[in-house]
Amino acid sequence: MTKSNARTSARSDSLLSLLWRSVRRGRPRPAASHFADFPSENTGFSLSPLPFVHALERLSAACGMTVARAHLTAGFPVSEGDLDPRFAPFALARAGLDARWDAIRLDAIQSHDLPALTAVRDGGAIVITALTHREGTARIIDAQGERTVALAALDGAISEQILTCGHLDPENGLDEEADRDLVQRNPRLWLLGVFLAEKKRIGQLLLAAVFLNLCALAIPLYMRAIYDRVVPNLAVESLWALSVGMVIVLLFEFLFRHVRSGFVDAVSIRVGQSVQHRAMTTVLNARMKHGGKSVGALMVGLRDVEQLAMLAPQAAVTFLVDVPWFLAFLAIIMAIGGATVAGPIIGAAAMLLVGVIANYALKLASTRSSKLMQARNNLIVDVTEGWTTIKANLAEGQFLRQWDILSDHIGIGTKSVRKWNELPTGVSTFLVQIVTVMVVIIGVFQIKAGAMTTGALVAVTMLTGRAMVPVSSAVAMVGKVYQSLSQFDGLAQILQMEPERTTSDPIIKSHRIRGDIRIGNVSHTFEGSAAPSINGITLNIRPGEKIALIGKSGSGKSTLLQILASLHEKQSGSISIDGHAIDQYAPVHLRQNIVYAGQDATLFDRSIWENILLGLPEPDDAIVEQAIRASGLDSFVARSVEGYGRKIGPRGHKLSGGQRQSLLLARALVRNPSVVLLDEPTASMDIQSEMLVINGLREAARDKTLIVATHRLALLDIVDRVIWLEDGRVIADKPRAEVLAMMRAANGNRAAAPQAA
């Protein structure tokens, strides 16, 4: 058995452990900046660390799974050409490897942990392939290749964050796709797995809660001893001894309360980060059909993740420790006060009855309030993004009225939620006081009968108050759980979004697309639309061909381009690219080679340069220069004091329409694709700017396949072929000259018709 397989077997002892491991892959891990926090030591030894993504590539090869570097990073955030280490387990999962970050000291690394990647304290990473503790040497891979180094020298140069990996269990292992399927099928089970991954901290939290409840027994027992032993005998020495012990117990109680709070925060923060990370990853990787999900739904789904994450450890303490301790308190009360135990039993039953009624009503009120909050969030987005349009059309009154109506209903809904939320607390306070009176009454008769002492009555009274706290907490916790269920429903809808395919078929995953596109009888109808946007389109496009799509608005030009860019899925028909069905390609692979620049593409509140690159590693200078020149972007940036560092405002509102289009065109061309898909690239430009762009495109797209949808006849100068769409169908597919002649003839007929009349 290989070392990596041995390690995998050692970690694959149960289905639950597989669930934990699969969830741990989704947790944000320390970023490169965290690794660099360790101070370097002067060991006299110099490593040559690899860039992180290069080290990942070498690690996967060392595990026997050779995978292209571009395949590891596709679709993940890459900064300056390197991958964020938090995404390393996801990246290696694509290669069929199960990986996770662990805090392991160098002297604690075992042979089954290797090969492993470790971060260098001063930046970069190396791969450790073998360790010989007896000889004090390690076999590593760095920029100098594979070599043997001394462990003592290595110890001061690397961090304790080790990325270990092994092959997935072929039968029971959860690869990347199975992990996503688990989240989609049962997000609640996945969330449970996230919490179970924190089992060590949750165990420490429960232990702290047990000690905290033990400390709660001290005061009642102390008071009983004082009343029954110290006061009748005036035993001052015993008083001091008991009091000193009591102070020590109270100090420990304070310490355990602080530790318990700290563990709750630690678990909730880590789980909250993991859930938010997974939710946002799901949104960004979802299929395009989920792209219309309302902003309000996303905001509501992500709004209370921290509260939900904090609720779970608190609920665990309440139901696994505090409620069982209620039974222990009853046993102690019965041992000390006999029949007085009836008081807390009756009080607890009454609390539970009120809690069931209030919590059911709270669940209904919370669901209604959550929907109203979602609607108000959508309205806020509409007002923020459409402020200019609202002002220009004097529509302030309409939106203000809608806001007031929603605010009124939200106010009523919030009042209802607050009423049912506060009812159990108010009733609990009342019942605790009633129970105290009951215990005192029963206790007096017990004393009269000689069944208990005055000190026992004081102790029982205090224990009763303490015993009612877990019941009250449990009732309140059930209310919070009911309320959180409506919150989790929104989060579950996000987690259950269907993701895009992440990897292409092996035969094509490293293949650069040439642009040989064949479309056969393709149709697509948008949800809610009565007629198809494109209907039975059949086309063949050769590599390097220059094509224009023309037709009136709504004829299907944009839809066809978006389907080719894998932004929408065809509903029928077939599309092949370079002889392979489009479904065999991962969308991220397609978009590396086929770039779509839509007329409604978004610009972000960043600099011009950041909007051009948009996460792309710094490209070749020649490509940048050509893209900027072809888009005409340089003509107005040269007049700006800030240059390419100029901020353009939300959605690029500080730029004119033509400037925004130039920026979008530069963003597309700087990616140096094989196929360029442009949707109305010059619609907002003046004639002079349009001519600059046309000349630039002619040069920039010389060796590329170019498909441009346009209403501007001037753009037809750079194409060889024109496809005329009408009502989603191709009515003409001819060389440019023939289509222009058809258009002139059609215009001539329309001009002659009034004269004949």
Side-chain angles (χ1 to χ4, degrees):
M1 180 181 291
T2 65
K3 293 180 179 179
S4 58
N5 283 332
R7 178 184 174 281
T8 303
S9 298
R11 293 201 338 229
S12 303
D13 25 358
S14 71
L15 181 61
L16 191 57
S17 70
L18 287 169
L19 173 61
W20 289 346
R21 287 209 317 277
S22 69
V23 170
R24 288 176 68 91
R25 290 206 302 266
R27 180 184 306 144
R29 295 294 178 176
S33 59
H34 296 163
F35 296 145
D37 289 340
F38 295 95
S40 298
E41 299 179 10
N42 185 13
T43 62
F45 170 75
S46 177
L47 283 173
S48 299
L50 293 161
F52 189 81
V53 68
H54 291 240
L56 270 186
E57 184 182 21
R58 300 300 295 271
L59 176 63
S60 62
C63 289
M65 303 295 290
T66 303
V67 61
R69 194 178 310 155
H71 181 62
L72 288 173
T73 60
F76 291 130
V78 176
S79 176
E80 297 181 357
D82 216 348
L83 179 70
D84 187 327
R86 291 177 293 181
F87 295 92
F90 283 113
L92 290 176
R94 293 178 174 177
L97 297 172
D98 179 23
R100 65 178 178 183
W101 286 104
D102 285 310
I104 306 177
R105 299 190 314 274
L106 186 62
D107 57 4
I109 297 177
Q110 303 298 318
S111 60
H112 60 261
D113 293 319
L114 300 176
L117 180 150
T118 180
V120 177
R121 296 176 188 262
D122 293 327
I126 63 170
V127 177
I128 303 176
T129 58
L131 280 175
T132 308
H133 291 289
R134 184 175 56 188
E135 299 177 3
T137 60
R139 192 75 177 165
I140 69 167
I141 301 174
D142 63 1
Q144 298 183 32
E146 188 167 3
R147 56 195 177 115
T148 302
V149 299
L151 280 178
L154 197 62
D155 189 38
I158 63 173
S159 76
E160 293 182 0
Q161 291 291 336
I162 306 295
L163 181 68
T164 56
C165 72
H167 295 285
L168 286 171
D169 184 331
E171 298 298 330
N172 305 303
L174 289 174
D175 59 14
E176 184 183 20
E177 184 176 352
D179 188 26
R180 287 197 310 269
D181 288 344
L182 172 64
V183 177
Q184 285 185 269
R185 288 196 316 272
N186 197 331
R188 286 181 173 82
L189 179 61
W190 174 81
L191 186 61
L192 174 63
V194 176
F195 282 106
L196 290 178
E198 297 294 331
K199 56 187 181 297
K200 180 179 180 181
R201 286 180 175 81
I202 291 177
Q204 294 168 331
L205 168 63
L206 296 177
L207 187 61
V210 169
F211 283 117
L212 191 60
N213 280 281
L214 278 173
C215 292
L217 296 173
I219 284 288
L221 297 179
Y222 170 76
M223 295 301 296
R224 181 187 183 190
I226 294 298
Y227 274 89
D228 289 348
R229 298 284 185 264
V230 175
V231 173
N233 301 308
L234 296 178
V236 177
E237 291 183 358
S238 297
L239 172 66
W240 286 113
L242 289 171
S243 298
V244 169
M246 192 67 243
V247 170
I248 294 173
V249 171
L250 291 177
L251 289 174
F252 273 104
E253 183 179 19
F254 173 79
L255 175 64
F256 288 131
R257 196 178 302 278
H258 179 73
V259 169
R260 169 176 163 168
S261 176
F263 281 127
V264 168
D265 288 340
V267 172
S268 62
I269 288 173
R270 292 173 68 89
V271 170
Q273 288 177 340
S274 176
V275 174
Q276 286 182 330
H277 173 80
R278 166 66 72 152
M280 187 53 65
T281 300
T282 302
V283 170
L284 293 174
N285 292 334
R287 291 183 183 272
M288 194 66 183
K289 65 182 180 181
H290 299 294
K293 194 173 183 66
S294 69
V295 176
L298 294 178
M299 292 175 68
V300 170
L302 296 174
R303 179 188 60 188
D304 298 315
V305 169
E306 292 90 348
Q307 180 180 341
L308 184 65
M310 186 173 288
L311 178 65
Q314 291 174 338
V317 170
T318 298
F319 294 111
L320 297 181
V321 177
D322 291 346
V323 171
W325 265 95
F326 167 71
L327 302 177
F329 282 127
L330 292 182
I332 296 172
I333 291 171
M334 181 179 290
I336 296 176
T340 56
V341 75
I345 292 176
I346 294 173
M351 278 189 187
L352 290 175
L353 178 62
V354 172
V356 169
I357 297 172
N359 288 329
Y360 181 75
L362 178 62
K363 179 183 178 181
L364 299 178
S366 296
T367 302
R368 181 174 181 272
S369 181
S370 179
K371 291 180 179 179
L372 288 169
M373 290 296 296
Q374 177 177 325
R376 188 168 73 172
N377 288 336
N378 286 334
L379 181 60
I380 291 172
V381 174
D382 288 343
V383 171
T384 303
E385 294 187 352
W387 185 82
T388 303
T389 304
I390 293 171
K391 300 284 286 184
N393 292 276
L394 298 177
E396 297 95 334
Q398 176 185 347
F399 284 87
L400 182 59
R401 175 175 173 77
Q402 189 176 355
W403 174 268
D404 289 340
I405 292 172
L406 281 172
S407 296
D408 288 344
H409 283 282
I410 288 174
I412 295 171
T414 303
K415 179 181 177 182
S416 178
V417 170
R418 188 166 56 248
K419 178 184 71 175
W420 292 112
N421 206 12
E422 292 176 353
L423 179 63
T425 303
V427 172
S428 296
T429 303
F430 171 75
L431 288 176
V432 167
Q433 294 170 339
I434 292 296
V435 167
T436 301
V437 173
M438 290 176 58
V439 168
V440 170
I441 292 173
I442 297 173
V444 169
F445 283 100
Q446 290 278 88
I447 293 173
K448 183 179 179 180
M452 61 185 294
T453 63
T454 303
L457 176 60
V458 173
V460 165
T461 303
M462 298 183 71
L463 284 170
T464 298
R466 184 64 185 83
M468 297 302 290
V469 172
V471 181
S472 178
S473 298
V475 171
M477 188 61 63
V478 170
K480 293 179 180 178
V481 170
Y482 267 124
Q483 197 170 359
S484 69
L485 288 178
S486 62
Q487 299 169 358
F488 183 78
D489 287 341
L491 178 62
Q493 290 178 12
I494 295 175
L495 294 175
Q496 290 176 312
M497 287 182 177
E498 187 179 355
E500 293 181 326
R501 179 173 181 167
T502 57
T503 59
S504 300
D505 281 1
I507 195 172
I508 58 174
K509 66 182 181 181
S510 59
H511 165 65
R512 178 170 176 83
I513 292 172
R514 296 183 297 110
D516 183 6
I517 302 172
R518 299 179 183 273
I519 305 171
N521 199 30
V522 168
S523 299
H524 181 86
T525 304
F526 287 104
E527 185 177 355
S529 178
S533 181
I534 58 174
N535 189 6
I537 289 184
T538 298
L539 297 170
N540 290 332
I541 300 170
R542 298 186 301 275
E545 198 168 8
K546 310 296 185 288
I547 296 174
L549 299 178
I550 64 171
K552 64 183 181 181
S553 297
S555 60
K557 303 187 299 296
S558 298
T559 303
L560 180 58
L561 292 181
Q562 290 170 0
I563 289 176
L564 292 178
S566 196
L567 296 176
H568 289 301
E569 294 181 351
K570 59 179 176 56
Q571 294 174 337
S572 63
S574 64
I575 300 178
S576 68
I577 299 177
D578 292 352
H580 301 282
I582 194 171
D583 297 329
Q584 295 177 339
Y585 289 89
V588 67
H589 183 192
L590 284 174
R591 293 168 197 151
Q592 287 173 341
N593 298 274
I594 302 176
V595 170
Y596 168 74
Q599 56 183 324
D600 57 350
T602 301
L603 295 175
F604 301 94
D605 188 13
R606 302 177 184 176
S607 68
I608 293 175
W609 186 245
E610 289 174 311
N611 269 280
I612 292 174
L613 296 185
L614 206 62
L616 183 74
E618 289 283 346
D620 183 79
D621 290 342
I623 296 175
V624 173
E625 183 179 351
Q626 184 185 57
I628 290 173
R629 187 175 62 251
S631 66
L633 194 63
D634 55 344
S635 62
F636 81 86
V637 172
R639 300 192 299 269
S640 172
V641 176
E642 301 98 331
Y644 289 97
R646 174 185 173 185
K647 296 285 187 179
I648 64 173
R651 304 186 69 84
H653 74 84
K654 294 182 180 180
L655 303 179
S656 69
Q659 290 169 344
R660 285 196 291 269
Q661 286 196 302
S662 291
L663 201 159
L664 293 172
L665 183 56
R667 178 192 290 174
L669 295 177
V670 81
R671 281 154 173 74
N672 194 28
S674 303
V675 180
V676 183
L677 309 175
L678 304 179
D679 191 0
E680 300 289 357
T682 62
S684 300
M685 293 183 181
D686 56 56
I687 295 176
Q688 182 179 0
S689 298
E690 184 178 39
M691 293 310 299
L692 287 174
V693 168
I694 288 173
N695 293 331
L697 272 177
R698 184 179 286 111
E699 176 65 25
R702 179 182 300 171
D703 58 344
K704 306 180 189 305
T705 303
L706 174 66
I707 307 176
V708 54
T710 183
H711 288 98
R712 307 286 286 260
L713 291 179
L715 270 173
L716 300 186
D717 288 343
I718 61 174
V719 304
D720 309 310
R721 174 182 167 195
V722 177
I723 299 172
W724 193 340
L725 298 179
E726 191 75 35
D727 295 330
R729 296 179 180 275
V730 176
I731 63 171
D733 180 2
K734 300 178 181 296
R736 178 186 60 190
E738 293 185 27
V739 174
L740 288 175
M742 290 174 58
M743 295 172 67
R744 284 194 293 268
N747 290 333
N749 291 336
R750 281 195 294 267
Q755 297 177 5

